[in-house]
Amino acid sequence: MFVSETFLAAHDAVLAKWPEPTTSSEIVTAHGTTRLLSHGPEGGSPVLLLPGGGATATGWYATAVALGNTHRVHAVDLIGEPGRSVPDGAHPLRTAEDLRAWLDALLDALGLPAAALVGHSYGAWIALQYALKAPDRVDRLVLLDPTNCFAGFSPRYLLRALPMLLRPTPARNASFLEWETAGAPLDPEWKNLNALAADFPTLRPVAGPRPSPAELSTLKPPTLLLLAERSRAHDIARVASRARAAVPGVETATLPGATHHTLPVASPPETYDRIARFLAPRGSA
């Protein structure tokens, strides 16, 4: 699989924003080689960060800063998506069950019986699917403006995204980002990486249905749902209402001023405060 040096240089420019010390490692699984970024004390409570579709692990740098004093943070490049993970396994990722086996392999390789999962957008869908099927391996679950978890996409969002999805180009990626974020100020190096992701040789992502209310009612890990106030991806009021109706004890909050694609790179400070409090050791003040 050919990846341009321009993309890799842009990827590494955003990676340089991660706090020191950050380590980069590779985990070989049956589904491919996964690139992992890790930061924080070795004995800290583990947190696994899953990016949205078309994004990379590098975009979690502000989250690593916010959580890295108390938690061992691991962020992955999704196999088949932009980044440094490679779909070179004997068993390609094709189903939700494959994704669950892949996450099992990652946690096993890290020596973790369980971890907190934090996912954004498509990464939140992956995290939720895993938490429903492997609850003993998910300590806590944070869903950051999740898509296809509790409600569908906005038709307007899909229509606007269609040219980018049918024939991605850097210009189309940049135009869509500008529209969804309403021109919000964003890290220029991250914006450049987001645009160049259009030229990355991606695979068809694993898709699946939204969990039914009956399935959601069985969700065991404590769950925090954070929604972007100005998200154009979906109706956040509908997402919150359906989550509260189906998921026992779910905590919900709206992130002021945020849009779907300003997360997690330009999340408001409240994002990290809420996540840190939610992930604090049980019984702490």
Side-chain angles (χ1 to χ4, degrees):
M1 183 176 69
F2 175 76
V3 180
S4 76
E5 291 298 325
T6 304
F7 173 85
L8 293 177
H11 178 278
D12 290 347
V14 181
L15 172 58
K17 300 174 186 295
W18 272 63
E20 293 293 342
T22 291
T23 60
S24 179
S25 58
E26 292 182 345
I27 295 177
V28 178
T29 75
H31 303 285
T33 303
T34 303
R35 179 61 66 94
L36 187 82
L37 302 178
S38 301
H39 171 71
E42 292 284 351
S45 299
V47 180
L48 186 64
L49 305 173
L50 299 171
T56 73
T58 62
W60 292 104
Y61 58 84
T63 308
V65 171
L67 298 180
N69 287 332
T70 53
H71 293 77
R72 182 66 171 169
V73 174
H74 305 284
V76 299
D77 282 338
L78 301 176
I79 293 175
E81 294 281 339
R84 290 183 175 268
S85 290
V86 183
D88 57 356
H91 302 288
L93 290 171
R94 294 196 175 110
T95 67
E97 182 56 44
D98 292 334
L99 286 171
R100 291 192 287 270
W102 169 67
L103 285 171
D104 276 339
L106 293 185
L107 293 179
D108 289 346
L110 291 168
L112 299 175
L117 264 57
V118 179
H120 171 234
S121 190
Y122 175 56
W125 179 81
I126 295 173
L128 177 61
Q129 291 285 340
Y130 189 67
L132 285 168
K133 299 300 183 181
D136 293 341
R137 305 211 70 172
V138 181
D139 178 58
R140 270 165 279 192
L141 180 65
V142 179
L143 305 175
L144 198 56
D145 214 48
T147 51
N148 202 34
C149 291
F150 307 104
F153 286 96
S154 158
R156 185 184 180 204
Y157 179 89
L158 291 177
L159 184 63
R160 186 72 187 226
L162 192 59
M164 179 186 67
L165 296 174
L166 291 176
R167 196 177 68 178
T169 67
R172 286 180 172 181
N173 273 23
S175 176
F176 181 75
L177 182 69
E178 185 77 7
W179 170 76
E180 201 285 326
T181 62
L186 292 168
D187 180 332
E189 290 176 312
W190 180 83
K191 286 178 66 176
N192 181 51
L193 177 61
N194 178 78
L196 292 173
D199 293 331
F200 193 92
T202 57
L203 302 179
R204 188 184 184 118
V206 175
R210 287 196 303 276
S212 68
E215 290 172 314
L216 290 169
S217 71
T218 68
L219 186 62
K220 293 181 180 178
T223 301
L224 173 64
L225 171 61
L226 297 177
L227 294 163
E229 180 186 29
R230 298 177 182 173
S231 177
R232 294 189 175 188
H234 42 214
D235 181 337
I236 67 166
R238 181 179 300 163
V239 174
S241 175
R242 290 183 177 179
R244 286 193 291 263
V247 179
V250 64
E251 294 183 31
T252 65
T254 300
L255 303 174
T259 82
H260 187 72
H261 291 284
T262 59
L263 305 176
V265 175
S267 300
E270 295 92 326
T271 310
Y272 311 115
D273 294 339
R274 288 297 302 244
I275 293 175
R277 290 200 304 270
F278 184 73
L279 297 183
R282 293 179 177 88
S284 64

